[in-house]
Amino acid sequence: MGRIGLFLCECGPNIAEAIDLDHIAQAIEKDAAVSKIERHKLLCSEEGKKFLATSLAANKFDRIVIAACSPKQHETTFMDVLSNHKMNQYLMQMVNIREQCAWVTPDKKAATEKALTSIRAAIHRVKYHEELEKKEIECNPAAIIIGGGIAGIEAALRTAHSNRQVYLLTEDTLGGTIKDQRLLAPTMQSAQELLEKKLEALEKNDHIEIYEHCTIDEILGFFGNFVARVRTSDNKPHSLKAGAIVLALDGQPYVPVATDNLGYGTIDDVYTAAEFEAQLSENVVTKSMVAPNTVAIIHCSGREQLGYCSKMCCVNSMKIAQIFKKHLGNIKITQFYKDLCIPDARSETYYKETKTQGIVFVRYQDISVTRDQNHLAVRVKSPDEDKTYPVDMVILSTGSIPSPQVKRFSQMFNIPLDEYGFCKEEHTILEPISTVTEGVYIISGMYGPGNLYDSVSQAGAAAGKILSSLVPGKRLVLEAKTSTVSETMCMGCGICVEVCAYGAAQLDETKRISIVNEVLCRGCGNCAAACPSGAALHRHFTNRQIFQEMNQILK
């Protein structure tokens, strides 16, 4: 199997103080399984990388094992050293003896034995590693952004630069839900002024093409090379090519049709917050054209039906209250809430400012709205009281729900939905706006409920992903650890197609076998694990490699 080198990293005191590396070195020497054992205080440092490169040149290793920290943190670091030394980077196996041994096993002897077992397993595994070659493809640095709300506009402005075209598509007019708002909480900035400023910036940017009132028929392709078939309002077809897609559709306000106890749709002068703000004029009046003296704003309307908090409703309710105060200074406003969601310090300040204007907050356990001859009546039940408040108008603060288009685009790009109908991110912490389909990003109402600042932040994150991954003139490097299917062993059952989350496995109807598109394959290995005939093979995670590793661990 050639010359195998073992590198032991002390990781400062992290590994050296918790694991007996001398004992490990002596035990491996007795096994006579490696040609040489090297040791360094911090292998990931510049000095450590030079040490690794020098040792590779001097010892002419065919394969190496590195016992250090998590591969998630420094596997690519060491792979780069191998590549620079003209050694195939997949002829290396990394063993995590820091997070999986030193940091979680307080007994030094036990941690040492655990590390030794893992290292022996890696040595037997690396013998069966094969050289893999990374492939490159040409990529298009342009981006397609779907959604004309503030998130889509912001993503377009941040992405469009010289040598990078952006196509902003919306099936409506630009503006999204912000068109129906007067003021923005908690700054109380004019929503229309902000929108006009953004639209002016769009017009001045020569690298942004806008398609309003368009129909998106289909989008095909993969990261770096997508093609969108679009028809404009005059039914003229367009073919738009881009390397990345940003799904930026706004959410839409929930209409509490199921909450009959709040009187919406059956009792006059009961409005949703979105409805009230969209119809707002200079004169705030009731159905009988009389200015209200008392108003109730009910938080979490329909919250039980939705099953989640929309994050922005409570602060928006405070904005509605301040709008009332601006128009009708002496009006009495009571905000009824179950739980207040104050997401940040800025909103906390806004909440305190709202209270200083004489707006009262009352916590409820159960609430209902009825009408007598003269007034609306809000009955509030809580552990402390059972009280009825006579009011002239009721505003229901409702949450945000996914646009009906979310399901369509999730199917188009093979993106799973969560239990509430929003698109699932690839990873909540590591890849919060990415999806399982590489190059497709979700923000705003595609991602989930949130406020304006969330949408702008997500737009910036999406732009950052595109700018850093699709560099004009630079080719895309594909995943090397992909799957392949043996034509002679494949039965064409299609199980691999069903379990592939990335749409890489497909059935060749002519040959009646499965094939893997290596451009789409992300190397998850689902197909190889599920294949009943063993025809699907996951490169770098073959049955032989895994068997050798497990065999040593279980000895």
Side-chain angles (χ1 to χ4, degrees):
M1 290 294 179
R3 292 175 59 81
I4 299 176
L6 171 62
F7 292 83
L8 301 175
C9 177
E10 297 180 8
C11 193
N14 287 294
I15 293 175
E17 291 184 0
I19 293 174
D20 188 346
L21 293 178
D22 291 331
H23 173 76
I24 288 178
Q26 293 169 6
I28 297 298
E29 282 180 356
K30 288 181 181 178
D31 293 344
V34 299
S35 300
K36 191 173 183 180
I37 300 172
E38 300 273 39
R39 183 166 169 174
H40 196 273
K41 291 186 178 297
L42 196 64
L43 203 58
C44 64
S45 65
E46 289 302 317
E47 182 188 338
K49 288 187 283 186
K50 289 178 183 177
F51 173 81
L52 175 59
T54 302
S55 180
L56 291 175
N59 294 289
K60 302 188 183 304
F61 294 126
D62 298 310
R63 289 167 170 77
I64 65 169
V65 172
I66 297 178
C69 60
S70 169
K72 186 74 177 178
Q73 189 167 6
H74 279 300
E75 185 178 46
T76 55
T77 301
F78 301 131
M79 290 175 80
D80 289 342
V81 174
L82 267 65
S83 293
N84 294 334
H85 183 64
K86 308 302 181 186
M87 180 176 176
N88 191 280
Q89 57 188 213
Y90 296 97
L91 298 179
M92 175 194 80
Q93 179 68 10
M94 196 168 170
V95 188
N96 184 359
I97 62 171
R98 188 181 69 178
E99 283 86 346
Q100 295 181 358
C101 301
W103 284 359
V104 295
T105 309
D107 182 81
K108 187 171 185 177
K109 184 177 180 181
T112 300
E113 289 304 314
K114 186 177 179 182
L116 179 59
T117 300
S118 298
I119 291 169
R120 281 173 169 156
I123 292 169
H124 280 76
R125 185 193 203 278
V126 80
K127 294 176 183 178
Y128 296 92
H129 281 203
E130 298 174 355
E131 292 190 2
L132 300 180
E133 296 299 328
K134 286 189 174 182
K135 298 178 182 178
E136 297 180 348
I137 60 170
E138 298 286 346
C139 68
N140 188 331
I144 293 172
I145 297 171
I146 301 173
I150 200 68
I153 293 172
E154 189 69 22
L157 291 172
R158 295 198 187 193
T159 307
H161 294 284
S162 58
N163 300 323
R164 191 185 303 278
Q165 193 72 11
V166 169
Y167 305 101
L168 180 56
L169 315 181
T170 175
E171 297 185 344
D172 196 355
T173 56
L174 290 175
T177 55
I178 201 173
K179 289 184 298 186
D180 297 326
Q181 298 183 45
R182 297 301 178 93
L183 300 172
L184 301 173
T187 61
M188 299 304 280
Q189 176 187 3
S190 167
Q192 299 312 306
E193 287 181 8
L194 173 65
L195 180 57
E196 288 170 9
K197 182 179 177 181
K198 294 297 182 183
L199 293 178
E200 184 180 349
L202 283 178
E203 290 179 8
K204 291 180 178 179
N205 196 314
D206 296 332
H207 304 289
I208 300 176
E209 287 186 31
I210 300 171
Y211 292 80
E212 291 184 281
H213 300 290
C214 69
T215 302
I216 303 168
D217 291 324
E218 66 176 2
I219 301 179
L220 303 172
F222 44 82
F223 181 43
N225 293 277
F226 288 103
V227 179
R229 312 291 182 191
V230 176
R231 284 179 292 114
T232 47
S233 55
D234 58 0
N235 211 31
K236 184 179 178 180
H238 296 264
S239 179
L240 309 178
K241 296 180 180 180
I245 309 289
V246 180
L247 300 176
L249 297 176
D250 284 345
Q252 63 182 43
Y254 173 69
V255 179
V257 291
T259 53
D260 295 335
N261 61 318
L262 298 180
Y264 182 77
T266 60
I267 300 176
D268 287 344
D269 296 319
V270 177
Y271 307 94
T272 65
E275 189 178 56
F276 169 78
E277 193 168 4
Q279 297 173 0
L280 185 63
S281 64
E282 289 301 318
N283 298 315
V284 180
V285 295
T286 63
K287 288 278 187 179
S288 57
M289 303 305 292
V290 177
N293 293 315
T294 54
V295 172
I297 300 177
I298 302 176
H299 293 226
C300 298
S301 301
R303 166 72 170 78
E304 293 181 0
Q305 285 73 27
L306 289 182
Y308 56 85
C309 172
S310 293
K311 189 178 179 180
M312 49 72 182
C313 319
C314 289
V315 176
N316 192 64
S317 296
M318 298 171 202
K319 179 189 74 174
I320 296 292
Q322 292 201 24
I323 290 175
F324 271 113
K325 279 291 186 180
K326 180 181 177 182
H327 286 78
L328 305 167
N330 295 324
I331 191 170
K332 183 179 179 182
I333 302 172
T334 306
Q335 300 224 21
F336 298 97
Y337 70 96
K338 268 191 174 181
D339 294 293
L340 279 177
C341 177
I342 313 293
D344 50 44
R346 181 168 41 191
S347 299
E348 177 72 22
T349 302
Y350 190 64
Y351 165 59
K352 292 176 180 177
E353 177 189 318
T354 303
K355 291 178 73 175
T356 62
Q357 297 185 23
I359 296 164
V360 179
F361 287 77
V362 175
R363 192 166 195 169
Y364 71 86
Q365 197 171 60
D366 188 41
I367 195 165
S368 61
V369 177
T370 57
R371 174 180 278 282
D372 58 24
Q373 291 182 349
N374 300 316
H375 293 284
L376 293 169
V378 179
R379 184 178 181 183
V380 175
K381 292 182 180 180
S382 68
D384 301 326
E385 67 174 359
D386 185 342
K387 185 177 178 180
T388 299
Y389 294 78
V391 297
D392 299 320
M393 185 181 289
V394 172
I395 306 297
L396 304 179
S397 181
T398 63
S400 178
I401 60 175
S403 160
Q405 295 296 322
V406 171
K407 186 175 182 180
R408 176 186 165 218
F409 285 113
S410 73
Q411 293 172 343
M412 184 181 292
F413 294 107
N414 200 32
I415 304 170
L417 298 177
D418 65 18
E419 58 184 308
Y420 306 117
F422 297 101
C423 289
K424 277 187 177 181
E425 66 271 72
E426 185 175 11
H427 192 285
T428 307
I429 298 173
L430 301 177
E431 298 288 347
I433 62 163
S434 299
T435 66
V436 293
T437 301
E438 190 175 12
V440 179
Y441 307 103
I442 49 172
I443 63 175
S444 191
M446 296 292 295
Y447 178 83
N451 56 37
L452 175 70
Y453 302 99
D454 292 329
S455 295
V456 171
S457 176
Q458 292 161 6
K465 285 280 190 182
I466 295 169
L467 295 174
S468 61
S469 59
L470 293 175
V471 180
K474 188 176 179 181
R475 295 165 65 88
L476 279 179
V477 179
L478 302 179
E479 173 63 62
K481 295 177 285 189
T482 55
S483 292
T484 183
V485 175
S486 168
E487 292 190 13
T488 56
M489 295 177 65
C490 180
M491 302 181 297
C493 65
I495 290 178
C496 57
V497 178
E498 294 178 8
V499 300
C500 181
Y502 306 101
Q506 302 164 354
L507 275 176
D508 185 328
E509 297 295 342
T510 304
K511 295 182 178 181
R512 301 293 299 171
I513 60 170
S514 292
I515 57 174
V516 176
N517 184 338
E518 292 188 6
V519 176
L520 298 179
C521 182
R522 300 282 287 279
C524 69
N526 280 355
C527 56
C531 180
S533 67
L537 174 72
H538 187 191
R539 295 185 180 97
H540 205 64
F541 293 92
T542 64
N543 289 342
R544 176 178 284 186
Q545 291 165 352
I546 294 173
F547 173 80
Q548 292 295 328
E549 190 171 17
M550 296 300 296
N551 189 42
Q552 285 300 310
I553 289 174
L554 297 174
K555 268 190 175 181

